[in-house]
Structures are given as C-alpha cells and as structure tokens.
Amino acid sequence: MPARILVVEATREVRALIADVLAADGHEVTSVAHGVEAVVLTGWPRVDPILSDLTLPAIEGAQLSWEIGARWPDLASRVICVTDGHDAGAIDHATLRAASVPFLVKPFLPEHLLDIVTRAPTRGTR
C-alpha cells in the first residue's frame, strides 16, 4: 500500500536514490537535507514512515528521532534510521536494536529499502 514518506538525508545523491526507489514503488515522497526541515514537515496531516540518516547537519538523526517522539508521540514508532556501515555516529547498531528502532545500513539494495518501508507502522497501524 502506498505511503507518504519523509526522507531526511544530507547527501543529495543518496536522497535522490531513496526517493526514486520509493516513488517507483508508488509512494509519495518528500525529501529534505537536514533535521530542521524535517521537524517543520513532520507536522503534515499524515506522514507514514520517516527515513532519517543518523548523520545530519543541524540536528543529528538520533536527536531528530527524539524530537519527533516528544512532539508527535504517535510518529515515534514510524522513524526508520539509515546508517553508514559500521559508523552510526553516537548511536551504534546494537543500541538501535536494543531500542527496537528499525534501521537500514548503507549501502543497501533497493529491495531492502522497500522491505523495511513495507514493514514500518503507518497511521492505520498505531
């Protein structure tokens, strides 16, 4: 089922790749380069998964996730973190697993991206 997805990714090429894969699968995608823009856009009437890189300018991805959870608690379970290989900034993969935060490790295959988005909770599955 198509979703409205917010992609927060600092690298233009990666942001475009993610948006292209998701749009080709029928999703409505808005993408931004940093967390400040994401906080502004998260107030949409309806947003399903939020894919957020952990390494962002202005507001780090983990801080963005906490900010979203504090402002919109129903969205907290819909944040999917995107990490760079072994380096996830201040948050490592074990920490994400322990907190039950879904994450995707770059580089990833398009089918892995689509799979994690498909499994993500949406407004209809609170």
Side-chain angles (χ1 to χ4, degrees):
M1 177 176 193
R4 178 183 253 183
I5 301 171
L6 177 59
V7 175
V8 189
E9 168 60 55
T11 307
R12 182 178 349 133
E13 295 82 9
V14 176
R15 191 170 59 245
L17 172 70
I18 292 171
D20 289 348
V21 169
L22 294 172
D25 197 47
H27 300 288
E28 179 183 340
V29 181
T30 298
S31 57
V32 297
H34 57 77
V36 174
E37 291 174 298
V39 170
V40 170
L41 289 176
T42 301
W44 284 351
R46 181 181 74 84
V47 66
D48 289 315
I50 301 167
L51 278 86
S52 176
D53 192 358
L54 285 178
T55 308
L56 296 168
I59 297 177
E60 285 286 320
Q63 183 181 355
L64 173 61
S65 179
W66 294 319
E67 183 72 27
I68 289 169
R71 291 181 184 213
W72 302 281
D74 64 316
L75 291 176
S77 66
R78 289 185 252 152
V79 176
I80 300 167
C81 294
V82 181
T83 73
D84 292 322
H86 299 293
D87 178 23
I91 306 290
D92 65 13
H93 299 162
T95 303
L96 293 171
R97 276 189 203 93
S100 297
V101 175
F103 66 95
L104 185 63
V105 179
K106 293 186 256 181
F108 52 81
L109 296 173
E111 53 266 25
H112 294 156
L113 171 62
L114 295 174
D115 180 58
I116 201 164
V117 166
T118 300
R119 291 185 287 122
T122 63
R123 280 197 183 250
T125 60
R126 281 191 231 190

